[in-house]
Amino acid sequence: MLIQILLISAVLVLMVFFLRNHGTTRTAAGVKIGFVLFILFGVLAVLQPDALTSIADAVGVGRGTDLLLYGLVVAFAFAMVNTYLRFKELELRHARLARAIAVQSAEPPALDDKVQEPGAGQDENQDKDEGTNVPTAS
Amino acid sequence: MSDYDDVWLIVPVYNEAQVIREVVQNARLTFPNIVCVDDGSRDASVSEIRQSGAHLVRHPVNLGQGASLQTGIEYARTQPGAKYFVTFDADGQHRVEDVVRMIDRLRKEPVDILVGTRFHGDTSHIPWIKRLVLKTVVALSPRTRRLKLTDAHNGLRAFNKTVADGLDITINGMGHASEIIAIIDRKSWRVAEEKVTIIYTEYSMAKGQSLINGVNILFDSALRGSRR
């Protein structure tokens, strides 16, 4: 069936294109144009159900509504991928911002620390004291 | 003065108050320079780190282990005299003597990065389900096999300044292990494996990443590559 070839190749081509070119101005514009075309397609489908049905017949789908459903599924999937990629980008920027703050306000160890080092036994004792404190603190 | 003044241990910390101080103090007997990256812990981890003698870098919000490693690396690589870097887990499952061996090897051999592996020699101490999953991960990754790595998800890695300067981990979560392998491959760094022993304690088993998280890792890795 023609529709199967059309749908599968559309998905594959768009997927590859998306993953390669996401984030460029051109892709962003392409997504918007695609969105407008999809809306127009929706309006046409409502206004001219017969036209939709004849397109559906031409590509081998039984009814116009089925064609509409297929189109919707594909569009939805791409909207999801788009959102996912956008979130990933935001996450990375967010991480870089947080990292800059973290590194700026880093705390080097206390200065008297070197003196403490030989007396590891002292630390052990402190450990035990802290150990009893931890459960009550949390 | 220690022989390991030019080495920095990078320890990502997330809710490890129970063990972190002991782990750091134990490691500091050999390695004076340790940076703990607190990833927005909700328990007493921060005060424990302050008392441990490690440098403390705090994420204002929780970001994930990959992000913590990158933060620690960025902090450590700007420190004067830093030449070698080690990623080290906070839960006490890595052994300091393994790190010593890795650093000594990095100094002697023409290698940029050493990755720990659990799969050389006796593997009976590894829980079988972990073994199965880790082996499957390796089998599924052509890149890992090409680089002749047997345990891509080992948290213990030692590397030189070239690698520290070039690493830019963008996967905040657990998928960073595969990403590091991908970066090694892309930048053609010389990589080798070092046999290490993972200490599976009850604590580290409970804290370790759950196997179901592998799904997240696979998904992240599959959709990666869009930013380059």
Side-chain angles (χ1 to χ4, degrees):
Chain A
M1 274 207 313
L2 185 57
I3 185 67
Q4 288 168 330
I5 299 163
L6 277 179
L7 278 177
I8 292 170
S9 51
V11 168
L12 288 179
V13 167
L14 280 172
M15 200 55 111
V16 168
F17 175 77
F18 246 83
L19 291 176
R20 286 270 153 98
N21 300 304
H22 194 263
T24 63
T25 326
R26 199 181 263 228
T27 315
V31 169
K32 278 159 201 153
I33 292 170
F35 179 70
V36 170
L37 287 178
F38 186 71
I39 296 287
L40 288 178
F41 171 72
V43 170
L44 175 83
V46 174
L47 291 181
Q48 298 278 341
D50 294 342
L52 194 65
T53 306
S54 48
I55 298 173
D57 281 343
V59 292
V61 186
R63 298 177 304 167
T65 41
D66 291 342
L67 182 66
L68 191 64
L69 181 67
Y70 292 152
L72 194 64
V73 167
V74 173
F76 178 73
F78 281 102
M80 291 292 289
V81 172
N82 197 25
T83 312
Y84 177 84
L85 292 174
R86 172 66 60 85
F87 264 75
K88 282 268 142 193
E89 253 167 48
L90 278 177
E91 227 173 67
L92 185 61
R93 285 187 203 185
H94 176 231
R96 290 194 165 135
L97 176 66
R99 180 167 300 134
I101 294 170
V103 170
Q104 259 174 25
S105 50
E107 300 173 30
L111 281 176
D112 57 332
D113 171 68
K114 294 272 179 202
V115 189
Q116 266 184 22
E117 209 175 41
Q122 275 186 337
D123 290 337
E124 298 275 312
N125 288 336
Q126 275 175 12
D127 257 350
K128 274 170 202 150
D129 294 344
E130 289 292 319
T132 51
N133 284 339
V134 170
T136 50
S138 57
Chain B
M1 287 300 276
S2 150
D3 292 341
Y4 297 104
D5 276 343
D6 54 355
V7 179
W8 277 80
L9 258 58
I10 294 146
V11 187
V13 181
Y14 182 57
N15 295 341
E16 307 273 8
Q18 275 183 57
V19 291
I20 184 63
R21 180 139 59 119
E22 205 189 320
V23 168
V24 170
Q25 281 173 345
N26 181 36
R28 282 194 79 241
L29 298 175
T30 314
F31 298 100
N33 302 315
I34 299 181
V35 53
C36 286
V37 182
D38 171 61
D39 194 18
S41 296
R42 287 183 305 264
D43 64 359
S45 296
V46 167
S47 64
E48 291 292 308
I49 294 167
R50 282 204 181 102
Q51 292 171 70
S52 70
H55 293 241
L56 169 64
V57 181
R58 296 177 70 182
H59 281 169
V61 287
N62 178 251
L63 293 174
Q65 198 181 5
S68 306
L69 283 178
Q70 182 63 26
T71 301
I73 292 166
E74 288 189 17
Y75 179 77
R77 74 190 180 194
T78 57
Q79 300 300 311
K83 269 188 175 159
Y84 297 99
F85 307 83
V86 178
T87 62
F88 196 82
D89 282 359
D91 55 12
Q93 64 169 343
H94 293 151
R95 299 191 313 170
V96 175
E97 55 259 49
D98 286 337
V99 181
V100 169
R101 215 159 4 90
M102 288 167 105
I103 294 296
D104 292 346
R105 212 178 137 192
L106 271 184
R107 289 193 207 276
K108 269 183 283 178
E109 286 178 32
V111 177
D112 294 311
I113 176 165
L114 281 170
V115 184
T117 177
R118 294 162 258 212
F119 294 118
H120 281 192
D122 182 28
T123 57
S124 57
H125 66 287
I126 305 167
W128 70 270
I129 181 92
K130 259 207 139 116
R131 222 180 314 161
L132 179 74
V133 170
L134 290 164
K135 291 265 188 198
T136 311
V137 169
V138 171
L140 286 177
S141 163
R143 188 184 275 128
T144 309
R145 270 182 289 139
R146 185 149 42 84
L147 294 173
K148 297 197 176 68
L149 300 176
T150 54
D151 186 11
H153 283 258
N154 199 300
L156 190 55
R157 307 175 192 87
F159 45 88
N160 61 16
K161 191 86 170 32
T162 313
V163 174
D165 287 339
L167 264 185
D168 182 20
I169 302 167
T170 62
I171 295 185
N172 293 341
M174 288 308 306
H176 67 270
S178 323
E179 191 185 12
I180 291 173
I181 303 292
I183 300 174
I184 291 173
D185 190 35
R186 197 175 63 237
K187 304 223 172 183
S188 309
W189 287 324
R190 295 162 301 178
V191 60
E193 282 197 327
E194 177 73 36
K195 186 185 140 196
V196 301
T197 305
I198 303 288
I199 307 163
Y200 288 102
T201 60
E202 220 167 279
Y203 179 83
S204 74
M205 283 298 285
K207 285 288 296 196
Q209 50 172 313
S210 74
L211 298 170
I212 195 77
N213 202 9
V215 176
N216 293 328
I217 294 173
L218 281 179
F219 197 76
D220 281 352
S221 304
L223 281 179
R224 194 184 48 218
S226 52
R227 280 180 223 99
R228 300 195 171 99

XYZ file of all heavy atoms in Angstrom, chain A residues 107-110 113 116-117 120 123-124 127, chain B residues 7-14 16-38 44-57 86 88-96 99 203:
536
model
N 34.252 25.746 48.256
C 34.890 25.917 49.562
C 36.112 25.021 49.661
O 35.975 23.807 49.703
C 33.911 25.509 50.680
C 32.634 26.303 50.711
C 31.648 25.732 51.727
O 32.092 25.160 52.742
O 30.440 25.848 51.487
N 37.312 25.618 49.724
C 38.491 24.778 49.964
C 38.451 24.265 51.404
O 37.744 24.831 52.237
C 39.666 25.738 49.749
C 39.091 27.097 49.642
C 37.613 27.031 49.598
N 39.193 23.194 51.689
C 39.137 22.655 53.045
C 39.665 23.667 54.049
O 40.457 24.540 53.712
C 40.042 21.421 52.970
C 40.796 21.529 51.710
C 40.046 22.419 50.799
N 39.240 23.522 55.296
C 39.687 24.433 56.363
C 41.205 24.377 56.497
O 41.813 23.345 56.240
C 39.013 24.050 57.664
N 43.318 22.012 58.722
C 43.120 20.617 58.342
C 44.415 19.816 58.278
O 44.475 18.685 58.722
C 42.419 20.632 56.983
C 42.357 19.272 56.374
O 41.639 18.449 56.935
O 43.037 19.043 55.359
N 45.571 18.540 61.506
C 44.767 17.428 62.018
C 45.169 16.092 61.432
O 44.977 15.067 62.053
C 43.298 17.661 61.662
C 42.518 18.360 62.767
C 41.059 18.468 62.389
O 40.595 17.691 61.559
N 40.360 19.406 62.974
N 45.742 16.165 60.246
C 45.915 14.950 59.466
C 46.627 13.809 60.197
O 46.148 12.671 60.152
C 46.651 15.275 58.164
C 46.277 14.334 57.063
C 46.919 14.759 55.754
O 48.086 15.157 55.746
O 46.225 14.701 54.745
N 44.825 10.800 62.949
C 43.644 10.190 62.337
C 42.747 9.592 63.413
O 41.537 9.501 63.254
C 44.057 9.124 61.346
N 39.952 11.793 64.489
C 38.835 11.819 63.546
C 37.911 10.629 63.768
O 36.698 10.737 63.697
C 39.352 11.787 62.099
C 40.032 13.094 61.740
O 39.723 14.105 62.390
O 40.885 13.090 60.842
N 38.544 9.500 64.055
C 37.745 8.296 64.285
C 36.759 8.541 65.439
O 35.590 8.193 65.363
C 38.657 7.120 64.650
C 39.660 6.729 63.584
C 39.074 5.790 62.551
O 38.438 4.812 62.950
O 39.207 6.068 61.359
N 34.036 10.650 64.469
C 33.119 9.867 63.638
C 32.043 9.215 64.487
O 30.865 9.259 64.159
C 33.907 8.756 62.935
C 34.152 9.110 61.486
O 33.542 10.087 61.033
O 34.949 8.415 60.832
N 47.599 14.822 41.869
C 46.421 14.003 41.559
C 45.188 14.589 42.243
O 45.251 15.006 43.400
C 46.622 12.554 42.064
C 45.396 11.708 41.756
C 47.864 11.938 41.440
N 44.102 14.641 41.516
C 42.833 15.103 42.094
C 41.789 14.009 41.996
O 41.537 13.482 40.915
C 42.340 16.358 41.374
C 42.997 17.590 41.902
C 44.240 18.053 41.580
C 42.458 18.505 42.857
N 44.511 19.195 42.282
C 43.437 19.505 43.074
C 41.260 18.576 43.559
C 43.243 20.562 43.971
C 41.060 19.632 44.441
C 42.053 20.605 44.642
N 41.193 13.697 43.137
C 40.074 12.755 43.151
C 38.774 13.540 43.051
O 38.579 14.519 43.775
C 40.080 11.945 44.457
C 40.628 10.522 44.368
C 42.057 10.553 43.850
C 40.575 9.827 45.719
N 37.919 13.117 42.145
C 36.635 13.787 41.957
C 35.525 12.862 42.433
O 35.351 11.762 41.901
C 36.450 14.165 40.479
C 37.495 15.215 40.105
C 35.045 14.669 40.211
C 37.990 15.109 38.703
N 34.821 13.300 43.462
C 33.819 12.430 44.090
C 32.436 13.076 44.003
O 32.175 14.069 44.674
C 34.169 12.188 45.586
C 33.241 11.152 46.195
C 35.626 11.790 45.748
N 31.561 12.548 43.151
C 30.193 13.078 43.135
C 29.437 12.558 44.356
O 29.528 11.375 44.672
C 29.578 12.482 41.854
C 30.609 11.577 41.270
C 31.732 11.427 42.222
N 28.744 13.455 45.033
C 28.059 13.062 46.273
C 26.583 13.419 46.195
O 26.233 14.556 45.873
C 28.674 13.791 47.492
C 27.971 13.363 48.772
C 30.165 13.525 47.588
N 25.735 12.436 46.433
C 24.312 12.733 46.540
C 23.741 11.886 47.668
O 23.657 10.665 47.535
C 23.597 12.450 45.208
C 22.133 12.784 45.247
C 21.710 14.071 45.573
C 21.168 11.819 44.990
C 20.363 14.377 45.631
C 19.826 12.125 45.033
C 19.429 13.406 45.356
O 18.093 13.707 45.412
N 24.955 10.982 50.735
C 25.883 9.931 51.180
C 26.417 10.224 52.580
O 27.535 9.825 52.910
C 27.076 9.826 50.209
C 26.719 9.658 48.757
C 26.521 8.210 48.353
O 26.506 7.341 49.245
O 26.382 7.958 47.144
N 25.633 10.928 53.392
C 26.127 11.380 54.701
C 26.687 10.234 55.549
O 27.669 10.403 56.265
C 25.012 12.087 55.459
N 26.089 9.076 55.444
C 26.508 7.933 56.272
C 27.961 7.549 56.063
O 28.631 7.126 56.989
C 25.673 6.713 55.898
C 24.360 6.607 56.601
C 23.686 5.311 56.172
O 24.250 4.241 56.317
N 22.501 5.424 55.632
N 28.434 7.649 54.820
C 29.736 7.068 54.505
C 30.768 8.067 54.004
O 31.957 7.784 54.035
C 29.598 5.967 53.428
C 28.881 4.768 53.986
C 28.902 6.499 52.195
N 30.331 9.230 53.529
C 31.235 10.078 52.753
C 32.482 10.495 53.518
O 33.593 10.505 52.979
C 30.483 11.309 52.169
C 31.389 12.129 51.277
C 29.899 12.190 53.257
C 31.886 11.406 50.060
N 32.312 10.820 54.817
C 33.477 11.308 55.557
C 34.541 10.222 55.660
O 35.726 10.460 55.459
C 33.057 11.777 56.947
C 34.245 12.301 57.740
C 33.922 13.538 58.517
N 32.842 13.320 59.443
C 32.976 13.466 60.769
N 34.140 13.776 61.288
N 31.939 13.317 61.545
N 34.107 9.029 55.967
C 35.063 7.933 56.106
C 35.764 7.650 54.775
O 36.974 7.440 54.730
C 34.314 6.692 56.587
C 35.198 5.713 57.313
C 34.453 4.419 57.579
O 33.249 4.492 57.919
O 35.065 3.354 57.424
N 34.978 7.657 53.695
C 35.559 7.391 52.375
C 36.623 8.431 52.042
O 37.736 8.104 51.625
C 34.450 7.384 51.292
C 35.051 7.409 49.901
C 33.546 6.177 51.471
N 36.294 9.718 52.272
C 37.238 10.792 51.942
C 38.468 10.716 52.841
O 39.605 10.809 52.376
C 36.561 12.172 52.056
C 37.596 13.285 51.968
C 35.516 12.338 50.972
N 38.253 10.517 54.140
C 39.392 10.484 55.057
C 40.331 9.339 54.736
O 41.546 9.480 54.767
C 38.889 10.397 56.500
C 38.440 11.760 56.995
C 37.773 11.699 58.348
O 37.390 10.629 58.816
N 37.640 12.846 58.982
N 39.748 8.232 54.382
C 40.564 7.082 54.010
C 41.382 7.377 52.752
O 42.577 7.107 52.694
C 39.647 5.870 53.807
C 40.421 4.633 53.448
O 41.516 4.434 53.952
N 39.866 3.829 52.561
N 40.737 7.991 51.759
C 41.441 8.293 50.510
C 42.490 9.377 50.726
O 43.539 9.379 50.073
C 40.445 8.725 49.439
N 42.232 10.286 51.665
C 43.169 11.392 51.884
C 44.475 10.940 52.522
O 45.450 11.670 52.504
C 42.512 12.484 52.730
C 41.568 13.326 51.903
C 41.168 14.603 52.602
N 42.196 15.624 52.508
C 42.822 16.159 53.543
N 42.568 15.748 54.759
N 43.715 17.105 53.369
N 44.484 9.766 53.082
C 45.745 9.249 53.618
C 46.758 9.108 52.489
O 47.953 9.205 52.699
C 45.526 7.895 54.302
C 44.589 7.924 55.520
C 44.345 6.532 56.052
C 45.152 8.831 56.609
N 46.253 8.882 51.270
C 47.141 8.749 50.118
C 47.065 9.971 49.203
O 48.074 10.467 48.727
C 46.756 7.496 49.298
O 46.564 6.411 50.194
C 47.843 7.161 48.296
N 45.851 10.413 48.936
C 45.649 11.501 47.971
C 45.191 12.769 48.688
O 44.058 12.836 49.164
C 44.622 11.074 46.923
C 45.058 9.892 46.116
C 44.581 8.624 46.407
C 45.974 10.045 45.093
C 45.001 7.531 45.671
C 46.402 8.949 44.354
C 45.913 7.693 44.645
N 46.080 13.785 48.751
C 45.726 14.980 49.514
C 44.631 15.825 48.862
O 43.924 16.546 49.557
C 47.040 15.761 49.576
C 47.879 15.236 48.458
C 47.460 13.835 48.232
N 44.505 15.733 47.533
C 43.557 16.618 46.852
C 42.290 15.871 46.456
O 42.315 15.025 45.569
C 44.192 17.207 45.592
C 45.451 17.975 45.916
O 45.469 18.761 46.859
N 46.496 17.726 45.157
N 41.206 16.223 47.118
C 39.930 15.594 46.786
C 38.885 16.690 46.660
O 38.833 17.591 47.499
C 39.505 14.596 47.882
C 40.558 13.490 48.010
C 38.127 14.013 47.583
C 40.227 12.446 49.040
N 38.093 16.619 45.607
C 36.969 17.550 45.520
C 35.669 16.736 45.533
O 35.498 15.800 44.767
C 37.053 18.481 44.278
C 37.242 17.705 42.990
C 35.817 19.364 44.188
N 34.809 17.087 46.475
C 33.497 16.452 46.535
C 32.490 17.399 45.905
O 32.435 18.583 46.258
C 33.084 16.196 47.982
S 33.980 14.845 48.741
N 31.722 16.890 44.977
C 30.688 17.713 44.365
C 29.355 17.296 44.964
O 28.868 16.194 44.707
C 30.653 17.528 42.834
C 29.596 18.426 42.224
C 32.013 17.820 42.235
N 28.809 18.154 45.801
C 27.521 17.831 46.396
C 26.425 18.200 45.405
O 26.301 19.341 44.981
C 27.318 18.608 47.692
C 25.903 18.432 48.189
O 25.518 17.290 48.462
O 25.157 19.432 48.260
N 22.832 15.141 55.550
C 23.943 15.884 56.171
C 25.245 15.776 55.377
O 26.309 16.082 55.907
C 24.147 15.378 57.587
N 25.160 15.381 54.115
C 26.380 15.195 53.320
C 27.304 16.404 53.351
O 28.515 16.268 53.487
C 26.021 14.904 51.860
O 25.334 13.698 51.750
N 26.723 17.605 53.223
C 27.551 18.810 53.122
C 28.400 19.001 54.374
O 29.606 19.235 54.286
C 26.657 20.042 52.849
C 27.450 21.328 53.050
C 26.126 19.989 51.426
N 27.795 18.869 55.551
C 28.591 19.080 56.760
C 29.604 17.960 56.937
O 30.710 18.176 57.433
C 27.681 19.211 57.980
O 26.998 18.004 58.194
N 29.252 16.769 56.494
C 30.208 15.659 56.558
C 31.415 15.941 55.654
O 32.548 15.678 56.033
C 29.540 14.348 56.115
C 28.494 13.815 57.079
C 29.108 13.334 58.388
O 30.050 12.530 58.337
O 28.660 13.784 59.452
N 31.153 16.497 54.478
C 32.250 16.808 53.554
C 33.132 17.901 54.150
O 34.354 17.833 54.097
C 31.699 17.256 52.180
C 30.971 16.104 51.494
C 32.828 17.761 51.280
C 30.146 16.523 50.290
N 32.488 18.907 54.762
C 33.254 20.007 55.358
C 34.233 19.487 56.404
O 35.315 20.016 56.571
C 32.304 21.011 56.021
C 31.627 21.913 55.015
C 31.182 23.227 55.655
N 30.517 24.059 54.665
C 29.181 24.197 54.595
N 28.408 23.582 55.467
N 28.654 24.951 53.657
N 33.857 18.437 57.107
C 34.731 17.905 58.155
C 35.711 16.862 57.642
O 36.514 16.336 58.394
C 33.864 17.281 59.254
C 33.061 18.323 60.013
C 32.058 17.685 60.931
O 32.424 17.082 61.923
N 30.789 17.800 60.590
N 35.625 16.559 56.357
C 36.441 15.465 55.835
C 37.783 15.945 55.286
O 38.667 15.143 55.046
C 35.684 14.749 54.720
O 35.605 15.590 53.586
N 37.924 17.252 55.075
C 39.170 17.756 54.512
C 39.179 17.815 52.993
O 40.205 18.059 52.379
N 38.038 17.592 52.386
C 37.947 17.678 50.929
C 37.488 19.079 50.527
O 36.882 19.789 51.324
C 36.960 16.651 50.400
N 37.792 19.445 49.292
C 37.211 20.659 48.741
C 35.734 20.391 48.489
O 35.367 19.280 48.095
C 37.870 21.034 47.412
C 39.305 21.451 47.565
N 39.756 22.690 47.211
C 40.372 20.776 48.052
C 41.049 22.776 47.460
N 41.456 21.623 47.968
N 34.921 21.408 48.695
C 33.483 21.208 48.514
C 32.960 22.140 47.431
O 33.151 23.355 47.487
C 32.754 21.485 49.836
C 31.233 21.579 49.781
C 30.615 20.255 49.364
C 30.670 21.999 51.131
N 32.313 21.548 46.439
C 31.633 22.333 45.407
C 30.181 21.904 45.452
O 29.889 20.708 45.415
C 32.227 22.065 44.007
C 31.536 22.901 42.962
C 33.718 22.351 43.993
N 40.989 11.571 38.857
C 40.370 10.270 39.095
C 38.910 10.487 39.437
O 38.585 11.339 40.274
C 41.059 9.542 40.279
C 40.385 8.208 40.556
C 42.545 9.357 40.013
N 35.830 8.955 41.305
C 35.802 8.014 42.429
C 34.415 8.074 43.050
O 33.887 9.154 43.307
C 36.868 8.493 43.437
C 37.272 7.483 44.462
C 38.202 6.508 44.167
C 36.745 7.542 45.754
C 38.604 5.588 45.130
C 37.134 6.627 46.721
C 38.076 5.651 46.407
N 33.812 6.923 43.299
C 32.452 6.927 43.852
C 32.443 7.200 45.354
O 33.369 6.832 46.068
C 31.754 5.593 43.565
C 31.259 5.525 42.132
O 31.455 6.514 41.401
O 30.696 4.489 41.742
N 31.364 7.827 45.781
C 31.281 8.248 47.178
C 30.874 7.117 48.118
O 31.028 7.234 49.324
C 30.266 9.388 47.306
N 30.360 6.035 47.585
C 29.754 5.038 48.466
C 30.737 4.003 48.991
O 30.337 3.018 49.605
C 28.576 4.356 47.758
C 28.998 3.761 46.429
O 30.214 3.684 46.175
O 28.115 3.376 45.642
N 32.014 4.221 48.762
C 33.014 3.325 49.352
C 33.205 2.038 48.586
O 33.776 1.082 49.102
N 32.785 1.996 47.308
C 32.953 0.737 46.581
C 34.265 0.665 45.811
O 34.603 -0.365 45.260
C 31.763 0.466 45.670
C 31.579 1.473 44.567
C 30.552 1.003 43.542
O 30.218 -0.163 43.494
N 30.058 1.923 42.761
N 35.015 1.765 45.800
C 36.303 1.725 45.113
C 37.442 1.650 46.122
O 37.353 2.180 47.218
C 36.483 2.964 44.234
C 35.534 2.995 43.081
N 35.085 4.145 42.519
C 34.957 1.981 42.398
C 34.265 3.859 41.528
N 34.153 2.549 41.429
N 38.536 0.996 45.705
C 39.666 0.832 46.615
C 40.778 1.808 46.260
O 41.110 1.979 45.078
C 40.200 -0.598 46.531
C 39.173 -1.657 46.929
C 39.835 -2.995 47.076
N 40.722 -3.251 45.917
C 41.576 -4.259 45.884
N 41.680 -5.082 46.896
N 42.339 -4.438 44.810
N 41.360 2.418 47.275
C 42.417 3.405 47.048
C 43.623 2.758 46.368
O 44.257 3.362 45.497
C 42.812 4.072 48.382
C 43.995 5.015 48.187
C 41.640 4.836 48.955
N 43.473 2.886 42.735
C 43.762 4.214 42.185
C 45.271 4.433 42.120
O 45.792 4.938 41.122
C 43.111 5.317 43.053
C 43.395 6.683 42.453
C 41.620 5.093 43.180
N 25.512 -1.316 51.743
C 25.230 0.091 51.492
C 25.353 0.434 50.013
O 24.456 1.026 49.418
C 26.182 0.965 52.316
C 25.965 2.443 52.100
C 24.971 3.117 52.802
C 26.727 3.161 51.190
C 24.751 4.462 52.608
C 26.513 4.503 50.982
C 25.522 5.152 51.693
O 25.298 6.480 51.479
